[in-house]
Each structure stands twice: as structure tokens, then as C-alpha cells.
Amino acid sequence: MNMQSLILRTAGHFLLPLLLLFSLFLLFRGHNEPGGGFIAGLVAAAAVVLYLFSMDIDAARRVLRVDPRSLLGSGMLLAVLSGVPGVFRGQPFFTAQWWEITLPGLGMVKLSSVLLFDIGVYLVVIGAVLTIMLTLAEAED
């Protein structure tokens, strides 16, 4: 039997998608305003940790769907690879690159290597925080 309160379980279910959506907002807003990969990753990790506290470890792992260490490694790889496009253009490693693409229904969209770096940081922060929190929760059981 789950010993958490009904209010905490309900809040966990309700707040998880809202916090994840807010973390994506912070991630994509981070180039022009305060935000970015680090704070967005903390918000996303906090959403899963709230779910962990409101449900249990197995439910939190099911929501996450991947091992947090995989997120950490993938994020690190993506962050490092985001510096490579500048080298191919004869510029220093990690020089920001911008590309304009046209998407049906959205029109002209600007993408950048900075966004790839922020997504990498986002994944590293989620992976690191959740690895720590899930390990501590499992040790407590």
C-alpha cells in the first residue's frame, strides 16, 4: 500500500506534465532571455523527483523511461558535438553557428549550435540529478 497522501499523489500527477512543459519553455527561451539548459534541466529533474516523492521509485523510473545515466552520457556527447560545426567552417571549436530552415506550417526557423549545446546541458543536468536522487531513494528502501 502506498503511504503517500492523496493530495501529494494528485499534485504529483498534475504537476509533472506542467513542470516538464515549463522546463521546455525555459530551454528554448534561454537564448534571448534568462533560462537555458541548466535551469530547464533542474526544473525537469524536480518534476520527476516530485513524482518520485508522490508515488514510488518504480513509478518514477517508468515515467522517465530511460536510465538517467544514459541521459547524462547522451547530453555530454551532444554538448561536445555542438562545437564541431565551427571547425568545419574554419572557425574555432565552439564558435556559434546559425542555420535557417523552412518548415511547413512554421515558416522560417533559425537553429543554432548554441541550442544543441543547451539541449546537451539539459540532458546532463537531468541525468546527474536523477541519478543522485534515484540512488538515494533506492538506498533508503
Side-chain angles (χ1 to χ4, degrees), residues 35-68:
F38 186 78
I39 190 66
L42 287 177
V43 171
V48 177
V49 169
L50 174 66
Y51 196 78
L52 166 70
F53 290 157
S54 67
M55 300 300 286
D56 61 14
I57 298 167
D58 294 329
R61 286 198 181 276
R62 280 193 305 273
V63 163
L64 192 56
R65 295 187 182 168
V66 296
D67 185 17

Side-chain angles (χ1 to χ4, degrees), residues 28-101:
F28 293 122
R29 176 180 180 238
H31 303 306
N32 303 323
E33 304 275 339
F38 186 78
I39 190 66
L42 287 177
V43 171
V48 177
V49 169
L50 174 66
Y51 196 78
L52 166 70
F53 290 157
S54 67
M55 300 300 286
D56 61 14
I57 298 167
D58 294 329
R61 286 198 181 276
R62 280 193 305 273
V63 163
L64 192 56
R65 295 187 182 168
V66 296
D67 185 17
R69 293 172 294 183
S70 298
L71 289 176
L72 198 146
S74 300
M76 190 69 82
L77 181 65
L78 185 60
V80 170
L81 289 178
S82 71
V84 173
V87 174
F88 288 121
R89 291 188 170 181
Q91 297 172 332
F93 190 71
F94 275 132
T95 300
Q97 303 296 314
W98 296 87
W99 307 281
E100 291 183 359
I101 62 170

Side-chain angles (χ1 to χ4, degrees), residues 1-21:
M1 172 97 184
N2 204 348
M3 299 305 291
Q4 287 82 10
S5 73
L6 176 63
I7 294 171
L8 182 60
R9 283 195 315 264
T10 304
H13 282 293
F14 179 71
L15 289 175
L16 177 70
L18 292 177
L19 286 170
L20 290 176
L21 187 62

Side-chain angles (χ1 to χ4, degrees), residues 25-26 80 99 123:
F25 169 75
L26 287 173
V80 170
W99 307 281
L123 294 174

